[in-house]
Short mmCIF file of all heavy atoms in Angstrom, two decimals:
data_model
loop_
_atom_site.label_atom_id
_atom_site.label_comp_id
_atom_site.label_asym_id
_atom_site.label_seq_id
_atom_site.Cartn_x
_atom_site.Cartn_y
_atom_site.Cartn_z
N MET A 1 -28.40 -69.24 -73.64
CA MET A 1 -29.77 -68.82 -73.44
C MET A 1 -29.80 -67.54 -72.62
O MET A 1 -29.18 -67.43 -71.58
CB MET A 1 -30.56 -69.91 -72.67
CG MET A 1 -31.90 -69.56 -72.25
SD MET A 1 -32.85 -70.90 -71.45
CE MET A 1 -32.08 -70.96 -69.86
N LYS A 2 -30.45 -66.51 -73.18
CA LYS A 2 -30.55 -65.23 -72.47
C LYS A 2 -31.63 -65.38 -71.31
O LYS A 2 -32.73 -65.84 -71.59
CB LYS A 2 -30.99 -64.13 -73.46
CG LYS A 2 -29.99 -63.93 -74.56
CD LYS A 2 -28.82 -63.18 -74.08
CE LYS A 2 -27.88 -62.93 -75.28
NZ LYS A 2 -26.56 -62.52 -74.82
N THR A 3 -31.26 -64.90 -70.14
CA THR A 3 -32.18 -65.02 -68.99
C THR A 3 -32.23 -63.71 -68.21
O THR A 3 -31.31 -62.91 -68.25
CB THR A 3 -31.78 -66.16 -68.07
OG1 THR A 3 -30.42 -66.03 -67.65
CG2 THR A 3 -31.98 -67.52 -68.73
N CYS A 4 -33.29 -63.58 -67.49
CA CYS A 4 -33.52 -62.35 -66.66
C CYS A 4 -32.62 -62.43 -65.46
O CYS A 4 -32.49 -63.45 -64.77
CB CYS A 4 -34.99 -62.35 -66.26
SG CYS A 4 -35.37 -61.10 -65.01
N ALA A 5 -31.96 -61.29 -65.14
CA ALA A 5 -31.01 -61.28 -64.01
C ALA A 5 -31.76 -61.30 -62.65
O ALA A 5 -31.16 -61.66 -61.63
CB ALA A 5 -30.18 -60.00 -64.09
N PHE A 6 -33.07 -61.02 -62.65
CA PHE A 6 -33.79 -61.03 -61.40
C PHE A 6 -34.39 -62.36 -61.07
O PHE A 6 -34.37 -62.82 -59.89
CB PHE A 6 -34.95 -59.99 -61.47
CG PHE A 6 -34.45 -58.58 -61.73
CD1 PHE A 6 -34.75 -57.95 -62.95
CD2 PHE A 6 -33.68 -57.95 -60.80
CE1 PHE A 6 -34.34 -56.69 -63.15
CE2 PHE A 6 -33.21 -56.63 -61.02
CZ PHE A 6 -33.53 -56.02 -62.22
N CYS A 7 -34.94 -63.03 -62.10
CA CYS A 7 -35.68 -64.25 -61.79
C CYS A 7 -35.15 -65.50 -62.54
O CYS A 7 -35.60 -66.62 -62.33
CB CYS A 7 -37.17 -64.10 -62.11
SG CYS A 7 -37.49 -63.95 -63.85
N ALA A 8 -34.20 -65.29 -63.43
CA ALA A 8 -33.56 -66.38 -64.16
C ALA A 8 -34.46 -67.06 -65.26
O ALA A 8 -34.13 -68.07 -65.79
CB ALA A 8 -32.98 -67.45 -63.26
N THR A 9 -35.58 -66.41 -65.54
CA THR A 9 -36.46 -66.91 -66.57
C THR A 9 -35.89 -66.59 -67.97
O THR A 9 -35.33 -65.54 -68.12
CB THR A 9 -37.85 -66.23 -66.43
OG1 THR A 9 -38.36 -66.54 -65.14
CG2 THR A 9 -38.80 -66.72 -67.50
N GLU A 10 -36.09 -67.49 -68.90
CA GLU A 10 -35.64 -67.22 -70.27
C GLU A 10 -36.44 -66.06 -70.81
O GLU A 10 -37.66 -65.96 -70.61
CB GLU A 10 -35.85 -68.43 -71.17
CG GLU A 10 -35.30 -68.25 -72.56
CD GLU A 10 -35.42 -69.48 -73.43
OE1 GLU A 10 -36.04 -70.51 -73.00
OE2 GLU A 10 -34.91 -69.46 -74.55
N ILE A 11 -35.74 -65.15 -71.49
CA ILE A 11 -36.43 -63.92 -71.98
C ILE A 11 -36.51 -63.92 -73.52
O ILE A 11 -35.71 -64.68 -74.17
CB ILE A 11 -35.71 -62.65 -71.55
CG1 ILE A 11 -34.28 -62.65 -72.00
CG2 ILE A 11 -35.80 -62.52 -70.07
CD1 ILE A 11 -33.61 -61.28 -71.92
N HIS A 12 -37.42 -63.18 -74.04
CA HIS A 12 -37.60 -63.03 -75.51
C HIS A 12 -37.62 -61.52 -75.78
O HIS A 12 -38.42 -60.80 -75.24
CB HIS A 12 -38.89 -63.66 -75.96
CG HIS A 12 -38.96 -65.13 -75.59
ND1 HIS A 12 -38.30 -66.10 -76.33
CD2 HIS A 12 -39.54 -65.78 -74.57
CE1 HIS A 12 -38.52 -67.26 -75.78
NE2 HIS A 12 -39.26 -67.12 -74.70
N LYS A 13 -36.65 -61.07 -76.61
CA LYS A 13 -36.55 -59.67 -77.05
C LYS A 13 -36.54 -58.73 -75.83
O LYS A 13 -37.40 -57.83 -75.75
CB LYS A 13 -37.73 -59.32 -77.98
CG LYS A 13 -37.68 -60.03 -79.30
CD LYS A 13 -38.80 -59.55 -80.15
CE LYS A 13 -38.71 -60.23 -81.53
NZ LYS A 13 -39.82 -59.89 -82.42
N ASN A 14 -35.67 -58.96 -74.89
CA ASN A 14 -35.50 -58.11 -73.72
C ASN A 14 -36.73 -58.04 -72.78
O ASN A 14 -36.77 -57.26 -71.86
CB ASN A 14 -35.13 -56.66 -74.10
CG ASN A 14 -33.81 -56.59 -74.82
OD1 ASN A 14 -33.18 -57.60 -75.14
ND2 ASN A 14 -33.33 -55.37 -75.08
N TYR A 15 -37.67 -58.89 -73.02
CA TYR A 15 -38.95 -58.88 -72.12
C TYR A 15 -38.93 -60.11 -71.27
O TYR A 15 -38.92 -61.24 -71.79
CB TYR A 15 -40.18 -58.80 -72.99
CG TYR A 15 -41.43 -58.68 -72.19
CD1 TYR A 15 -41.79 -57.47 -71.60
CD2 TYR A 15 -42.22 -59.77 -71.94
CE1 TYR A 15 -42.93 -57.33 -70.79
CE2 TYR A 15 -43.38 -59.71 -71.18
CZ TYR A 15 -43.69 -58.51 -70.60
OH TYR A 15 -44.85 -58.40 -69.82
N CYS A 16 -39.10 -59.93 -69.98
CA CYS A 16 -39.26 -61.00 -69.07
C CYS A 16 -40.76 -61.23 -68.77
O CYS A 16 -41.35 -60.31 -68.21
CB CYS A 16 -38.47 -60.80 -67.80
SG CYS A 16 -38.74 -62.14 -66.59
N ALA A 17 -41.28 -62.35 -69.11
CA ALA A 17 -42.69 -62.62 -68.91
C ALA A 17 -43.06 -62.77 -67.45
O ALA A 17 -44.13 -62.40 -66.99
CB ALA A 17 -43.13 -63.84 -69.69
N PHE A 18 -42.09 -63.33 -66.67
CA PHE A 18 -42.38 -63.50 -65.21
C PHE A 18 -42.38 -62.15 -64.50
O PHE A 18 -43.31 -61.87 -63.71
CB PHE A 18 -41.30 -64.43 -64.61
CG PHE A 18 -41.54 -64.69 -63.19
CD1 PHE A 18 -42.46 -65.70 -62.77
CD2 PHE A 18 -40.93 -63.97 -62.19
CE1 PHE A 18 -42.73 -65.91 -61.43
CE2 PHE A 18 -41.17 -64.20 -60.80
CZ PHE A 18 -42.04 -65.21 -60.49
N CYS A 19 -41.39 -61.30 -64.77
CA CYS A 19 -41.31 -59.96 -64.11
C CYS A 19 -42.28 -58.96 -64.77
O CYS A 19 -42.54 -57.94 -64.25
CB CYS A 19 -39.90 -59.42 -64.18
SG CYS A 19 -38.72 -60.42 -63.22
N GLU A 20 -42.74 -59.30 -66.02
CA GLU A 20 -43.65 -58.43 -66.76
C GLU A 20 -43.01 -57.12 -66.98
O GLU A 20 -43.64 -56.06 -66.72
CB GLU A 20 -44.96 -58.31 -66.08
CG GLU A 20 -45.73 -59.64 -65.97
CD GLU A 20 -47.12 -59.51 -65.36
OE1 GLU A 20 -47.38 -58.45 -64.78
OE2 GLU A 20 -47.89 -60.45 -65.43
N MET A 21 -41.75 -57.09 -67.50
CA MET A 21 -41.07 -55.82 -67.80
C MET A 21 -40.00 -55.99 -68.82
O MET A 21 -39.41 -57.08 -68.94
CB MET A 21 -40.58 -55.16 -66.60
CG MET A 21 -39.47 -55.92 -65.84
SD MET A 21 -39.02 -55.01 -64.35
CE MET A 21 -37.62 -55.98 -63.80
N ASP A 22 -39.70 -54.96 -69.58
CA ASP A 22 -38.58 -54.92 -70.47
C ASP A 22 -37.33 -54.74 -69.65
O ASP A 22 -37.30 -53.94 -68.67
CB ASP A 22 -38.68 -53.74 -71.45
CG ASP A 22 -39.77 -54.03 -72.49
OD1 ASP A 22 -39.81 -55.11 -73.05
OD2 ASP A 22 -40.63 -53.13 -72.71
N LEU A 23 -36.25 -55.40 -70.02
CA LEU A 23 -35.02 -55.35 -69.24
C LEU A 23 -33.97 -54.56 -69.98
O LEU A 23 -33.84 -54.65 -71.20
CB LEU A 23 -34.49 -56.78 -69.02
CG LEU A 23 -35.42 -57.69 -68.30
CD1 LEU A 23 -34.91 -59.18 -68.31
CD2 LEU A 23 -35.58 -57.26 -66.83
N LYS A 24 -33.22 -53.76 -69.27
CA LYS A 24 -32.09 -53.09 -69.84
C LYS A 24 -31.01 -54.12 -70.02
O LYS A 24 -31.02 -55.19 -69.36
CB LYS A 24 -31.54 -51.97 -68.90
CG LYS A 24 -32.57 -50.86 -68.75
CD LYS A 24 -32.04 -49.78 -67.89
CE LYS A 24 -33.11 -48.64 -67.83
NZ LYS A 24 -32.76 -47.59 -66.85
N ASP A 25 -30.03 -53.82 -70.91
CA ASP A 25 -28.96 -54.79 -71.25
C ASP A 25 -28.24 -55.35 -70.04
O ASP A 25 -27.94 -56.52 -69.97
CB ASP A 25 -27.96 -54.16 -72.20
CG ASP A 25 -28.51 -53.94 -73.55
OD1 ASP A 25 -29.55 -54.58 -73.91
OD2 ASP A 25 -27.91 -53.17 -74.35
N ARG A 26 -28.02 -54.51 -69.01
CA ARG A 26 -27.24 -54.99 -67.87
C ARG A 26 -28.01 -55.99 -67.08
O ARG A 26 -27.48 -56.66 -66.19
CB ARG A 26 -26.85 -53.77 -67.01
CG ARG A 26 -27.96 -53.03 -66.38
CD ARG A 26 -27.52 -51.81 -65.70
NE ARG A 26 -28.60 -50.89 -65.46
CZ ARG A 26 -28.63 -49.99 -64.50
NH1 ARG A 26 -27.60 -49.87 -63.71
NH2 ARG A 26 -29.70 -49.20 -64.39
N TYR A 27 -29.36 -56.12 -67.27
CA TYR A 27 -30.15 -57.08 -66.54
C TYR A 27 -30.45 -58.31 -67.35
O TYR A 27 -31.28 -59.15 -67.01
CB TYR A 27 -31.44 -56.43 -66.06
CG TYR A 27 -31.18 -55.32 -65.07
CD1 TYR A 27 -31.66 -54.06 -65.29
CD2 TYR A 27 -30.42 -55.53 -63.95
CE1 TYR A 27 -31.46 -53.01 -64.39
CE2 TYR A 27 -30.16 -54.50 -63.07
CZ TYR A 27 -30.69 -53.25 -63.31
OH TYR A 27 -30.39 -52.22 -62.40
N ILE A 28 -29.77 -58.43 -68.49
CA ILE A 28 -29.92 -59.62 -69.31
C ILE A 28 -28.61 -60.44 -69.20
O ILE A 28 -27.57 -60.00 -69.54
CB ILE A 28 -30.16 -59.30 -70.80
CG1 ILE A 28 -31.47 -58.51 -70.89
CG2 ILE A 28 -30.21 -60.57 -71.65
CD1 ILE A 28 -31.69 -57.92 -72.27
N LEU A 29 -28.73 -61.61 -68.54
CA LEU A 29 -27.56 -62.45 -68.34
C LEU A 29 -27.80 -63.79 -69.07
O LEU A 29 -28.73 -63.94 -69.90
CB LEU A 29 -27.37 -62.67 -66.83
CG LEU A 29 -27.10 -61.37 -66.06
CD1 LEU A 29 -26.95 -61.67 -64.55
CD2 LEU A 29 -25.87 -60.62 -66.56
N ASN A 30 -26.95 -64.74 -68.81
CA ASN A 30 -27.02 -66.01 -69.55
C ASN A 30 -27.21 -67.20 -68.61
O ASN A 30 -26.69 -67.26 -67.53
CB ASN A 30 -25.69 -66.23 -70.31
CG ASN A 30 -25.45 -65.12 -71.30
OD1 ASN A 30 -26.29 -64.97 -72.26
ND2 ASN A 30 -24.39 -64.35 -71.15
N ASN A 31 -28.04 -68.10 -69.11
CA ASN A 31 -28.21 -69.41 -68.46
C ASN A 31 -28.55 -69.34 -66.96
O ASN A 31 -27.99 -70.09 -66.15
CB ASN A 31 -26.90 -70.28 -68.67
CG ASN A 31 -26.69 -70.48 -70.13
OD1 ASN A 31 -27.62 -70.69 -70.93
ND2 ASN A 31 -25.38 -70.36 -70.51
N GLY A 32 -29.39 -68.47 -66.63
CA GLY A 32 -29.89 -68.37 -65.24
C GLY A 32 -29.03 -67.66 -64.24
O GLY A 32 -29.24 -67.78 -63.05
N GLU A 33 -28.00 -66.98 -64.72
CA GLU A 33 -27.19 -66.16 -63.80
C GLU A 33 -28.05 -65.15 -63.13
O GLU A 33 -28.99 -64.62 -63.73
CB GLU A 33 -26.08 -65.45 -64.59
CG GLU A 33 -24.95 -66.31 -65.06
CD GLU A 33 -23.96 -65.52 -65.83
OE1 GLU A 33 -24.33 -64.90 -66.88
OE2 GLU A 33 -22.82 -65.44 -65.41
N ARG A 34 -27.74 -64.86 -61.89
CA ARG A 34 -28.49 -63.82 -61.16
C ARG A 34 -27.62 -62.61 -60.95
O ARG A 34 -26.41 -62.70 -60.82
CB ARG A 34 -28.95 -64.36 -59.77
CG ARG A 34 -29.94 -65.50 -59.82
CD ARG A 34 -31.24 -65.04 -60.38
NE ARG A 34 -32.29 -66.06 -60.32
CZ ARG A 34 -33.18 -66.13 -59.35
NH1 ARG A 34 -33.21 -65.21 -58.42
NH2 ARG A 34 -34.07 -67.09 -59.36
N ILE A 35 -28.24 -61.46 -60.86
CA ILE A 35 -27.54 -60.24 -60.56
C ILE A 35 -27.03 -60.32 -59.13
O ILE A 35 -27.69 -60.85 -58.27
CB ILE A 35 -28.47 -58.99 -60.77
CG1 ILE A 35 -27.65 -57.74 -60.76
CG2 ILE A 35 -29.60 -58.99 -59.73
CD1 ILE A 35 -28.45 -56.51 -61.21
N LYS A 36 -25.81 -59.85 -58.92
CA LYS A 36 -25.21 -59.83 -57.56
C LYS A 36 -26.00 -58.84 -56.71
O LYS A 36 -26.22 -57.73 -57.13
CB LYS A 36 -23.73 -59.45 -57.63
CG LYS A 36 -22.90 -60.60 -58.17
CD LYS A 36 -21.43 -60.29 -58.15
CE LYS A 36 -20.57 -61.38 -58.63
NZ LYS A 36 -20.90 -61.88 -60.00
N ASN A 37 -26.42 -59.28 -55.59
CA ASN A 37 -27.24 -58.43 -54.77
C ASN A 37 -26.70 -58.41 -53.34
O ASN A 37 -27.33 -58.81 -52.42
CB ASN A 37 -28.66 -58.97 -54.75
CG ASN A 37 -29.65 -57.95 -54.21
OD1 ASN A 37 -29.34 -56.78 -54.12
ND2 ASN A 37 -30.80 -58.41 -53.79
N THR A 38 -25.44 -57.94 -53.22
CA THR A 38 -24.81 -57.94 -51.92
C THR A 38 -24.67 -56.50 -51.46
O THR A 38 -24.60 -55.59 -52.24
CB THR A 38 -23.45 -58.59 -52.00
OG1 THR A 38 -22.63 -57.88 -52.98
CG2 THR A 38 -23.52 -60.05 -52.32
N ILE A 39 -24.69 -56.36 -50.24
CA ILE A 39 -24.48 -55.04 -49.62
C ILE A 39 -23.06 -54.94 -49.04
O ILE A 39 -22.68 -55.76 -48.20
CB ILE A 39 -25.52 -54.83 -48.46
CG1 ILE A 39 -26.92 -54.96 -48.94
CG2 ILE A 39 -25.26 -53.44 -47.76
CD1 ILE A 39 -27.98 -54.90 -47.87
N ASP A 40 -22.30 -54.03 -49.58
CA ASP A 40 -20.89 -53.85 -49.16
C ASP A 40 -20.78 -53.14 -47.88
O ASP A 40 -19.70 -53.15 -47.20
CB ASP A 40 -20.12 -53.14 -50.23
CG ASP A 40 -20.08 -53.91 -51.60
OD1 ASP A 40 -20.15 -55.11 -51.52
OD2 ASP A 40 -20.03 -53.26 -52.61
N TYR A 41 -21.80 -52.46 -47.52
CA TYR A 41 -21.69 -51.57 -46.32
C TYR A 41 -22.98 -51.73 -45.46
O TYR A 41 -24.06 -51.53 -46.03
CB TYR A 41 -21.57 -50.13 -46.80
CG TYR A 41 -21.57 -49.18 -45.67
CD1 TYR A 41 -20.47 -48.97 -44.85
CD2 TYR A 41 -22.69 -48.37 -45.40
CE1 TYR A 41 -20.48 -48.06 -43.83
CE2 TYR A 41 -22.76 -47.49 -44.38
CZ TYR A 41 -21.59 -47.28 -43.58
OH TYR A 41 -21.66 -46.38 -42.57
N ILE A 42 -22.79 -52.08 -44.25
CA ILE A 42 -23.93 -52.14 -43.32
C ILE A 42 -23.88 -50.89 -42.48
O ILE A 42 -22.90 -50.63 -41.80
CB ILE A 42 -23.79 -53.39 -42.39
CG1 ILE A 42 -23.63 -54.68 -43.23
CG2 ILE A 42 -25.00 -53.46 -41.47
CD1 ILE A 42 -24.84 -54.99 -44.11
N PRO A 43 -24.93 -50.12 -42.49
CA PRO A 43 -24.94 -48.85 -41.74
C PRO A 43 -24.98 -49.03 -40.25
O PRO A 43 -25.53 -50.02 -39.76
CB PRO A 43 -26.20 -48.15 -42.23
CG PRO A 43 -27.12 -49.23 -42.63
CD PRO A 43 -26.24 -50.33 -43.16
N ASP A 44 -24.35 -48.09 -39.54
CA ASP A 44 -24.41 -48.09 -38.15
C ASP A 44 -25.87 -47.62 -37.72
O ASP A 44 -26.44 -46.90 -38.44
CB ASP A 44 -23.39 -47.11 -37.60
CG ASP A 44 -23.25 -47.20 -36.12
OD1 ASP A 44 -22.50 -48.06 -35.66
OD2 ASP A 44 -23.96 -46.40 -35.38
N GLN A 45 -26.34 -48.08 -36.63
CA GLN A 45 -27.69 -47.73 -36.16
C GLN A 45 -27.88 -46.21 -36.08
O GLN A 45 -28.90 -45.71 -36.39
CB GLN A 45 -27.98 -48.36 -34.79
CG GLN A 45 -28.59 -49.76 -34.91
CD GLN A 45 -29.19 -50.17 -33.57
OE1 GLN A 45 -28.55 -49.89 -32.55
NE2 GLN A 45 -30.28 -50.83 -33.63
N SER A 46 -26.79 -45.53 -35.71
CA SER A 46 -26.88 -44.09 -35.57
C SER A 46 -27.09 -43.37 -36.88
O SER A 46 -27.51 -42.22 -36.92
CB SER A 46 -25.62 -43.57 -34.91
OG SER A 46 -24.51 -43.72 -35.74
N GLU A 47 -26.83 -44.05 -38.02
CA GLU A 47 -27.01 -43.41 -39.32
C GLU A 47 -28.42 -43.60 -39.91
O GLU A 47 -28.77 -42.91 -40.90
CB GLU A 47 -26.02 -44.00 -40.32
CG GLU A 47 -24.55 -43.64 -39.97
CD GLU A 47 -23.57 -44.36 -40.89
OE1 GLU A 47 -23.94 -45.38 -41.48
OE2 GLU A 47 -22.46 -43.84 -41.05
N MET A 48 -29.21 -44.47 -39.32
CA MET A 48 -30.49 -44.85 -39.92
C MET A 48 -31.49 -43.70 -39.98
O MET A 48 -32.37 -43.70 -40.83
CB MET A 48 -31.11 -46.03 -39.16
CG MET A 48 -30.31 -47.27 -39.41
SD MET A 48 -31.08 -48.70 -38.62
CE MET A 48 -29.92 -49.95 -39.06
N PHE A 49 -31.39 -42.74 -39.11
CA PHE A 49 -32.36 -41.65 -39.07
C PHE A 49 -31.80 -40.32 -39.58
O PHE A 49 -32.41 -39.29 -39.46
CB PHE A 49 -32.93 -41.52 -37.70
CG PHE A 49 -33.69 -42.73 -37.24
CD1 PHE A 49 -33.10 -43.65 -36.37
CD2 PHE A 49 -34.92 -43.00 -37.77
CE1 PHE A 49 -33.74 -44.81 -36.00
CE2 PHE A 49 -35.59 -44.21 -37.44
CZ PHE A 49 -35.01 -45.09 -36.55
N LYS A 50 -30.58 -40.38 -40.16
CA LYS A 50 -30.02 -39.19 -40.67
C LYS A 50 -30.59 -38.82 -42.03
O LYS A 50 -31.02 -39.77 -42.77
CB LYS A 50 -28.50 -39.34 -40.88
CG LYS A 50 -27.72 -39.40 -39.52
CD LYS A 50 -26.22 -39.52 -39.74
CE LYS A 50 -25.46 -39.55 -38.42
NZ LYS A 50 -24.03 -39.75 -38.62
N ASN A 51 -30.68 -37.55 -42.34
CA ASN A 51 -31.19 -37.23 -43.64
C ASN A 51 -30.11 -37.28 -44.73
O ASN A 51 -28.93 -37.58 -44.43
CB ASN A 51 -31.84 -35.84 -43.61
CG ASN A 51 -30.80 -34.74 -43.29
OD1 ASN A 51 -29.64 -34.87 -43.63
ND2 ASN A 51 -31.28 -33.72 -42.66
N THR A 52 -30.52 -37.05 -45.96
CA THR A 52 -29.60 -37.25 -47.11
C THR A 52 -28.32 -36.38 -46.96
O THR A 52 -27.23 -36.80 -47.24
CB THR A 52 -30.29 -36.91 -48.40
OG1 THR A 52 -31.46 -37.71 -48.50
CG2 THR A 52 -29.39 -37.15 -49.62
N LYS A 53 -28.55 -35.16 -46.55
CA LYS A 53 -27.45 -34.21 -46.39
C LYS A 53 -26.45 -34.74 -45.37
O LYS A 53 -25.22 -34.72 -45.61
CB LYS A 53 -27.98 -32.89 -45.92
CG LYS A 53 -27.07 -31.70 -46.23
CD LYS A 53 -27.80 -30.43 -45.91
CE LYS A 53 -26.96 -29.20 -46.11
NZ LYS A 53 -27.61 -28.01 -45.81
N GLU A 54 -26.91 -35.29 -44.31
CA GLU A 54 -26.02 -35.83 -43.27
C GLU A 54 -25.32 -37.09 -43.74
O GLU A 54 -24.27 -37.46 -43.28
CB GLU A 54 -26.78 -36.11 -42.02
CG GLU A 54 -27.34 -34.87 -41.32
CD GLU A 54 -28.27 -35.18 -40.19
OE1 GLU A 54 -29.13 -36.14 -40.39
OE2 GLU A 54 -28.29 -34.49 -39.19
N LEU A 55 -25.94 -37.85 -44.70
CA LEU A 55 -25.39 -39.09 -45.12
C LEU A 55 -24.42 -38.96 -46.32
O LEU A 55 -23.94 -39.90 -46.82
CB LEU A 55 -26.49 -40.03 -45.55
CG LEU A 55 -27.34 -40.62 -44.41
CD1 LEU A 55 -28.53 -41.34 -45.00
CD2 LEU A 55 -26.51 -41.50 -43.55
N LYS A 56 -24.17 -37.71 -46.74
CA LYS A 56 -23.31 -37.48 -47.87
C LYS A 56 -21.96 -38.22 -47.76
O LYS A 56 -21.38 -38.57 -48.74
CB LYS A 56 -23.14 -36.04 -48.17
CG LYS A 56 -24.18 -35.41 -49.04
CD LYS A 56 -23.90 -34.03 -49.45
CE LYS A 56 -24.82 -33.54 -50.54
NZ LYS A 56 -24.54 -32.18 -50.88
N GLY A 57 -21.46 -38.42 -46.55
CA GLY A 57 -20.19 -39.07 -46.35
C GLY A 57 -20.26 -40.53 -46.37
O GLY A 57 -19.22 -41.24 -46.33
N VAL A 58 -21.43 -41.14 -46.49
CA VAL A 58 -21.64 -42.60 -46.47
C VAL A 58 -21.16 -43.13 -47.87
O VAL A 58 -21.36 -42.51 -48.86
CB VAL A 58 -23.10 -42.94 -46.28
CG1 VAL A 58 -23.32 -44.43 -46.43
CG2 VAL A 58 -23.49 -42.54 -44.90
N PRO A 59 -20.48 -44.30 -47.87
CA PRO A 59 -20.00 -44.84 -49.12
C PRO A 59 -21.08 -44.92 -50.24
O PRO A 59 -22.21 -45.26 -49.95
CB PRO A 59 -19.58 -46.28 -48.71
CG PRO A 59 -19.25 -46.19 -47.30
CD PRO A 59 -20.17 -45.16 -46.74
N PRO A 60 -20.71 -44.66 -51.47
CA PRO A 60 -21.65 -44.55 -52.60
C PRO A 60 -22.47 -45.79 -52.85
O PRO A 60 -23.60 -45.73 -53.25
CB PRO A 60 -20.80 -44.17 -53.82
CG PRO A 60 -19.41 -44.24 -53.32
CD PRO A 60 -19.32 -44.31 -51.86
N THR A 61 -21.89 -46.98 -52.63
CA THR A 61 -22.58 -48.21 -52.85
C THR A 61 -23.87 -48.28 -52.02
O THR A 61 -24.93 -48.67 -52.49
CB THR A 61 -21.70 -49.40 -52.52
OG1 THR A 61 -20.50 -49.33 -53.29
CG2 THR A 61 -22.40 -50.69 -52.86
N PHE A 62 -23.74 -47.88 -50.76
CA PHE A 62 -24.89 -47.97 -49.88
C PHE A 62 -25.93 -46.94 -50.26
O PHE A 62 -27.13 -47.24 -50.26
CB PHE A 62 -24.49 -47.81 -48.43
CG PHE A 62 -25.67 -47.93 -47.45
CD1 PHE A 62 -26.30 -49.13 -47.35
CD2 PHE A 62 -26.19 -46.80 -46.86
CE1 PHE A 62 -27.38 -49.28 -46.50
CE2 PHE A 62 -27.28 -46.91 -46.01
CZ PHE A 62 -27.89 -48.11 -45.86
N ARG A 63 -25.50 -45.72 -50.62
CA ARG A 63 -26.43 -44.66 -51.01
C ARG A 63 -27.18 -45.18 -52.25
O ARG A 63 -28.41 -44.96 -52.36
CB ARG A 63 -25.70 -43.38 -51.34
CG ARG A 63 -25.57 -42.53 -50.11
CD ARG A 63 -25.02 -41.15 -50.44
NE ARG A 63 -23.54 -41.28 -50.51
CZ ARG A 63 -22.81 -40.71 -51.40
NH1 ARG A 63 -23.37 -39.94 -52.36
NH2 ARG A 63 -21.53 -40.85 -51.42
N LYS A 64 -26.49 -45.79 -53.19
CA LYS A 64 -27.12 -46.25 -54.42
C LYS A 64 -28.12 -47.32 -54.05
O LYS A 64 -29.27 -47.30 -54.60
CB LYS A 64 -26.03 -46.85 -55.30
CG LYS A 64 -26.51 -47.19 -56.70
CD LYS A 64 -25.27 -47.61 -57.47
CE LYS A 64 -25.69 -48.22 -58.80
NZ LYS A 64 -24.53 -48.80 -59.53
N PHE A 65 -27.82 -48.23 -53.14
CA PHE A 65 -28.72 -49.27 -52.71
C PHE A 65 -30.00 -48.69 -52.16
O PHE A 65 -31.09 -49.17 -52.42
CB PHE A 65 -28.05 -50.19 -51.72
CG PHE A 65 -28.92 -51.21 -51.14
CD1 PHE A 65 -29.17 -52.37 -51.83
CD2 PHE A 65 -29.51 -51.06 -49.90
CE1 PHE A 65 -30.04 -53.35 -51.31
CE2 PHE A 65 -30.35 -52.00 -49.37
CZ PHE A 65 -30.61 -53.14 -50.10
N CYS A 66 -29.88 -47.63 -51.36
CA CYS A 66 -31.01 -47.06 -50.68
C CYS A 66 -31.94 -46.28 -51.61
O CYS A 66 -33.12 -46.19 -51.44
CB CYS A 66 -30.56 -46.12 -49.61
SG CYS A 66 -29.90 -47.01 -48.18
N THR A 67 -31.32 -45.69 -52.68
CA THR A 67 -32.14 -44.83 -53.54
C THR A 67 -32.67 -45.51 -54.76
O THR A 67 -33.62 -45.04 -55.40
CB THR A 67 -31.29 -43.61 -53.99
OG1 THR A 67 -30.11 -44.08 -54.63
CG2 THR A 67 -30.92 -42.76 -52.83
N LEU A 68 -32.15 -46.71 -55.12
CA LEU A 68 -32.67 -47.41 -56.28
C LEU A 68 -33.84 -48.26 -55.93
O LEU A 68 -33.83 -48.95 -54.94
CB LEU A 68 -31.58 -48.27 -56.88
CG LEU A 68 -30.43 -47.56 -57.59
CD1 LEU A 68 -29.42 -48.60 -58.09
CD2 LEU A 68 -30.97 -46.79 -58.78
N SER A 69 -34.82 -48.25 -56.75
CA SER A 69 -35.93 -49.17 -56.52
C SER A 69 -36.32 -49.72 -57.92
O SER A 69 -37.32 -49.40 -58.50
CB SER A 69 -37.13 -48.47 -55.86
OG SER A 69 -37.49 -47.35 -56.66
N THR A 70 -35.40 -50.53 -58.42
CA THR A 70 -35.57 -51.01 -59.81
C THR A 70 -36.49 -52.25 -59.88
O THR A 70 -36.83 -52.67 -60.99
CB THR A 70 -34.21 -51.37 -60.43
OG1 THR A 70 -33.56 -52.31 -59.59
CG2 THR A 70 -33.34 -50.14 -60.58
N PHE A 71 -36.83 -52.80 -58.77
CA PHE A 71 -37.68 -53.97 -58.81
C PHE A 71 -39.13 -53.60 -58.95
O PHE A 71 -39.58 -52.63 -58.44
CB PHE A 71 -37.51 -54.83 -57.58
CG PHE A 71 -36.21 -55.61 -57.64
CD1 PHE A 71 -35.05 -55.08 -57.06
CD2 PHE A 71 -36.15 -56.84 -58.27
CE1 PHE A 71 -33.86 -55.81 -57.11
CE2 PHE A 71 -34.96 -57.54 -58.32
CZ PHE A 71 -33.83 -57.00 -57.70
ZN1 LIG B 1 -37.58 -61.81 -64.65
#
């Protein structure tokens, strides 16, 4: 059974009725699997107010997490 990676609802033709959106292939999983939503890197307090230029040295996973708003 194809299910939404965000809410685990069964989907029909890439559309999740609960989330009310079309899902890209990577967000279509099986039998209620959820997308992994872990943070590999916890920023130091001193980094929280730095601008993007200053954060260029921060690991890519965290930068991706901060800039994506796919929900
Ligand atoms: Zn959903």
Side-chain angles (χ1 to χ4, degrees):
M1 175 177 73
K2 300 283 183 195
T3 53
C4 171
F6 300 114
C7 69
T9 300
E10 185 175 5
I11 58 167
H12 303 281
K13 293 184 181 178
N14 296 8
Y15 183 79
C16 176
F18 183 82
C19 296
E20 297 182 348
M21 63 183 187
D22 288 312
L23 300 170
K24 293 182 178 174
D25 288 343
R26 64 186 163 155
Y27 297 124
I28 298 171
L29 299 178
N30 298 297
N31 302 319
E33 287 177 298
R34 295 293 187 98
I35 191 168
K36 287 184 176 56
N37 195 19
T38 57
I39 301 172
D40 298 331
Y41 173 78
I42 305 296
D44 189 86
Q45 271 193 320
S46 65
E47 295 176 335
M48 291 183 180
F49 298 101
K50 290 182 179 177
N51 63 30
T52 305
K53 200 173 180 181
E54 292 169 323
L55 288 172
K56 274 188 169 179
V58 173
T61 304
F62 182 69
R63 270 187 278 140
K64 190 175 170 186
F65 174 80
C66 289
T67 55
L68 288 178
S69 55
T70 56
F71 285 92

